[in-house]
Amino acid sequence: MSNHSQEGKQFKSQKFEKNFFSEGSFSNCLFERCELMETQFWNVKFSDCVFKGCNLHLVKLDGCRLQNVCFDECKVIGGEFHKCDQSFFSPEFNKCILRGCNFSDRKMKQTSFFGSKVKECFFNDTHLVSCDFRECDLEGSVFHHSDLSMADFRDAQNYAINPQVNKLKKTRFSKPDVLALLEFFDIQIS
């Protein structure tokens, strides 16, 4: 499907499995309980859209714009966010399951991941200043050469953030999970 533009439309319980969308746009749209398994979006613009309770499994996002897009209680497996258009990239994740997603080389200042399970995701050279990771489970996620200044990790768990290769300035953590930062140093704690 190409040159497909929708504004203010609601898509409820629809299946877009293995569909291909090219050069279209979705503005002020709601996707609720939709199945987007292996759907391919190529240069598609999403602005002010909400995905609520959707299943996005191996979705391709080549050149897509995600401007003020909220993913609420969605399951996103293998999301290729690193292939999105950087100039219009402002997603938000609320209580989502994110597994194997790639956010490398993205500028994501003030992005919220609140209450999400962010497992085995990649944040390489990612700008995460003032991001909200509160109450997240970050098991297996990789942060490498990322700027986590003023990010909030309070009540987050299972993170492995190496302070030697990531920028941590005024980053917020809570006890006792903050002790995980020490595992990268050759020290013994009694």
Side-chain angles (χ1 to χ4, degrees):
M1 194 179 291
S2 60
N3 296 323
H4 191 261
S5 296
Q6 298 288 337
E7 186 170 346
K9 190 158 183 187
Q10 294 187 7
F11 302 92
K12 294 191 177 186
S13 301
Q14 293 192 25
K15 294 187 182 230
F16 297 98
E17 295 178 25
K18 298 184 180 178
N19 283 359
F20 179 78
F21 295 89
S22 171
E23 303 289 339
S25 67
F26 294 89
S27 179
N28 294 305
C29 291
L30 170 67
F31 295 84
E32 190 171 354
R33 294 182 312 280
C34 292
E35 295 289 329
L36 296 114
M37 309 228 347
E38 297 182 43
T39 303
Q40 295 183 43
F41 294 102
W42 187 75
N43 286 340
V44 175
K45 298 173 186 123
F46 292 93
S47 61
D48 301 305
C49 292
V50 174
F51 289 84
K52 185 167 181 57
C54 294
N55 186 0
L56 297 97
H57 186 87
L58 299 177
V59 172
K60 305 282 186 201
L61 298 165
D62 294 342
C64 288
R65 293 181 176 185
L66 300 181
Q67 189 170 14
N68 299 321
V69 175
C70 178
F71 296 90
D72 188 27
E73 298 182 349
C74 291
K75 186 175 185 180
V76 185
I77 310 297
E80 296 182 335
F81 294 99
H82 66 292
K83 293 184 178 180
C84 290
D85 182 338
Q86 177 59 65
S87 53
F88 296 95
F89 186 71
S90 54
E92 179 180 308
F93 304 92
N94 181 50
K95 297 183 180 173
C96 290
I97 296 172
L98 304 168
R99 184 178 294 280
C101 296
N102 193 337
F103 295 97
S104 295
D105 301 309
R106 300 293 89 193
K107 287 183 173 68
M108 300 180 71
K109 185 177 182 179
Q110 298 179 332
T111 299
S112 177
F113 290 89
F114 179 79
S116 296
K117 293 181 186 336
V118 186
K119 297 191 172 188
E120 300 164 13
C121 293
F122 300 93
F123 298 92
N124 296 315
D125 295 303
T126 309
H127 186 80
L128 296 161
V129 172
S130 299
C131 284
D132 186 355
F133 287 98
R134 287 176 301 138
E135 299 182 26
C136 285
D137 183 349
L138 295 155
E139 183 182 352
S141 286
V142 175
F143 293 88
H144 189 72
H145 289 244
S146 292
D147 188 347
L148 299 164
S149 298
M150 295 179 285
D152 195 341
F153 286 89
R154 287 177 295 162
D155 298 317
Q157 58 186 355
N158 298 320
Y159 50 83
I161 300 170
N162 186 339
Q164 296 173 310
V165 296
N166 292 288
K167 185 175 181 181
L168 302 175
K169 184 176 181 182
K170 296 187 180 180
T171 308
R172 299 179 80 174
F173 296 96
S174 55
K175 298 176 195 173
D177 298 297
V178 70
L179 295 175
L181 298 178
L182 298 175
E183 74 180 56
F184 296 96
F185 297 98
D186 188 17
I187 60 173
Q188 294 180 352
I189 301 172
S190 299

